[in-house]
Amino acid sequence: MPTDLTDPQTRITELETALTAAKAELSESSLDRERIQYLSEEASLWVWETDADLRFKYISRSRTISSLDHKFLLNKKREDVVTVDELKSPHWQAHLADLRARRPVNDFTYEITAPDGTKLVVRINGAPIFDKNDTFMGYRGTGQDVTERVRFEQTFDQLVTTFESIDQRIAILDRHDRFVLTNRSYRDLNRGVLESIQPGQRFEDHLRTVA
């Protein structure tokens, strides 16, 4: 099946793969740096590296991170830009344990607060770096802005909670009269024929079931 280049997630995945491949071959030459920079800016992703003390020593520019003046992160640890309460959470404690154990970082999501108060939700992936003597040198990985996605999910969850709490029986149908969503009251009314009101089922067939 051909790749759908119009799909945003497909585009992000392909660019992230390109970043990983390019980074693996990275040398100190300016040409390689320029290639990495281009890929980062195009994907709204950024490449980051830390030293052995887990302080950022390199962060590439991107459309997202440049709006926050990424330089404020240099020489800081990731935990330096989050609140004390966040650091105490199980989410962060598990991440810090992974770093201490030199384990890979997979889809770790957290919120950055810039000096001007701007907040950005990012998702990172990375891997530990070791030299030829197996000495730990730091981490290297990519970051992605997921602020809009996270905010949308939070808003959607709130809407679903409100929708479910309405006492009036509500069913939402698509333009082909197929069920898309029902609330708790509607499902309670049809608890004996729940199969007929599942998403994708035709309203006409449901009426035949209850007739």
Side-chain angles (χ1 to χ4, degrees), residues 119-180:
K119 293 184 182 298
L120 181 74
V121 182
V122 301
R123 179 169 295 154
I124 62 169
N125 290 277
I129 308 168
F130 298 92
D131 66 12
K132 62 182 180 180
N133 297 316
D134 205 30
T135 300
F136 175 66
M137 303 296 291
Y139 272 83
R140 175 185 297 147
T142 59
Q144 179 185 353
D145 178 12
V146 293
T147 305
E148 291 186 7
R149 183 186 308 174
V150 169
R151 301 293 186 244
F152 172 81
E153 291 173 351
Q154 292 172 342
T155 300
F156 181 78
D157 288 343
Q158 292 171 356
L159 289 174
V160 169
T161 299
T162 300
F163 181 72
E164 285 288 300
S165 66
I166 296 175
D167 292 331
Q168 184 179 359
R169 298 158 186 153
I170 302 175
I172 298 176
L173 309 177
D174 64 16
R175 61 191 180 92
H176 300 295
D177 285 336
R178 296 180 183 274
F179 283 97
V180 175

Side-chain angles (χ1 to χ4, degrees), residues 21-185:
K23 194 63 177 176
E25 299 177 358
L26 183 63
S27 71
E28 291 304 314
S29 72
S30 61
L31 179 59
D32 282 339
R33 286 288 181 183
E34 288 172 3
R35 287 170 178 164
I36 293 296
Q37 190 61 60
Y38 172 78
L39 287 169
S40 298
E41 292 177 356
E42 173 68 15
S44 285
L45 299 170
W46 57 89
V47 176
W48 54 267
E49 293 182 16
T50 72
D51 59 21
D53 294 323
L54 303 180
R55 296 184 183 278
F56 287 110
K57 67 176 185 178
Y58 173 73
I59 301 175
S60 67
R61 294 187 305 275
S62 76
R63 289 195 299 271
T64 296
I65 203 69
S66 61
S67 67
L68 285 176
D69 186 9
H70 67 285
K71 292 181 181 179
F72 91 92
L73 292 171
L74 294 177
N75 299 315
K76 290 185 175 68
K77 295 184 178 181
R78 189 167 288 111
E79 56 265 38
D80 291 339
V81 293
V82 299
T83 66
V84 174
D85 288 340
E86 286 177 300
L87 286 177
K88 293 178 181 178
S89 70
H91 178 65
W92 264 97
Q93 287 301 306
H95 174 63
L96 295 176
D98 285 339
L99 297 181
R100 287 192 294 269
R102 313 310 187 208
R103 290 190 286 262
V105 177
N106 297 308
D107 291 335
F108 180 69
T109 303
Y110 68 106
E111 187 175 79
I112 293 176
T113 301
D116 65 358
T118 301
K119 293 184 182 298
L120 181 74
V121 182
V122 301
R123 179 169 295 154
I124 62 169
N125 290 277
I129 308 168
F130 298 92
D131 66 12
K132 62 182 180 180
N133 297 316
D134 205 30
T135 300
F136 175 66
M137 303 296 291
Y139 272 83
R140 175 185 297 147
T142 59
Q144 179 185 353
D145 178 12
V146 293
T147 305
E148 291 186 7
R149 183 186 308 174
V150 169
R151 301 293 186 244
F152 172 81
E153 291 173 351
Q154 292 172 342
T155 300
F156 181 78
D157 288 343
Q158 292 171 356
L159 289 174
V160 169
T161 299
T162 300
F163 181 72
E164 285 288 300
S165 66
I166 296 175
D167 292 331
Q168 184 179 359
R169 298 158 186 153
I170 302 175
I172 298 176
L173 309 177
D174 64 16
R175 61 191 180 92
H176 300 295
D177 285 336
R178 296 180 183 274
F179 283 97
V180 175
L181 189 65
T182 60
N183 70 345
R184 174 182 50 78
S185 296

